[in-house]
Amino acid sequence: MSDIEIGAFPFVIRRGKPLLMIITNRSGKAWILPKGQPEDGLSNAQVALLEASEEAGVEGKLVAPLRHKDFKRRGGGFLRIYPLAIRKVLRKWPEQSFRKRELVSVKQALDLVTHKEHVEAINYFTSPEKLKQLARSAKS
């Protein structure tokens, strides 16, 4: 396993409130953000887009000015998360047969997600200051 995993923070703003797309892990026992390993020939940002599409069935755009944020993982290394403004929710996606997905409020996400670095990412990107930046960037 590499020292870094690449993930996406897929979100949409509805009525001024963020909704997050979370997914189950492969075993179906834990709720997480879409993530995966770096891939040869792809930038980390491209991997984040790919993982969101393959695992969560969402497409969108990575939003600036936040770009990405790194979170330490339990076993060492870190998880690099890119905020992704959802533009399209796919009816069919590559990993739909073994993953569930849910578009949930921040509170619901925090109640369901248990991996420490995923919880930290949710808290980071939904802090009032960051949320304003995301909402502005998602509109453009």
Side-chain angles (χ1 to χ4, degrees), residues 71-74 113-121 123:
F71 301 91
K72 286 187 178 181
R73 291 190 328 209
R74 270 186 219 131
V113 171
T114 55
H115 289 65
K116 179 177 89 53
E117 62 271 22
H118 295 240
V119 170
E120 288 174 356
N123 283 323

Side-chain angles (χ1 to χ4, degrees), residues 41-102:
L42 295 180
S43 69
N44 288 340
Q46 289 170 319
V47 171
L49 289 167
L50 181 66
E51 295 299 335
S53 176
E54 288 180 351
E55 293 185 354
V58 294
E59 294 177 349
K61 74 169 195 157
L62 300 180
V63 294
L66 300 178
R67 298 274 184 240
H68 64 76
K69 174 82 173 141
D70 294 341
F71 301 91
K72 286 187 178 181
R73 291 190 328 209
R74 270 186 219 131
F78 59 96
L79 173 64
R80 176 167 289 165
I81 296 283
Y82 289 80
L84 172 83
I86 298 170
R87 296 287 192 251
K88 185 177 186 180
V89 178
L90 305 172
R91 287 184 174 193
K92 293 183 179 189
W93 68 100
E95 298 187 15
Q96 72 183 44
S97 63
F98 52 88
R99 291 192 194 272
K100 293 180 195 164
R101 68 178 180 190
E102 292 289 332

Side-chain angles (χ1 to χ4, degrees), residues 12-24:
V12 63
I13 306 290
R14 293 224 176 110
R15 296 186 193 99
K17 302 279 185 195
L19 296 175
L20 316 179
M21 184 67 78
I22 59 173
I23 61 170
T24 56

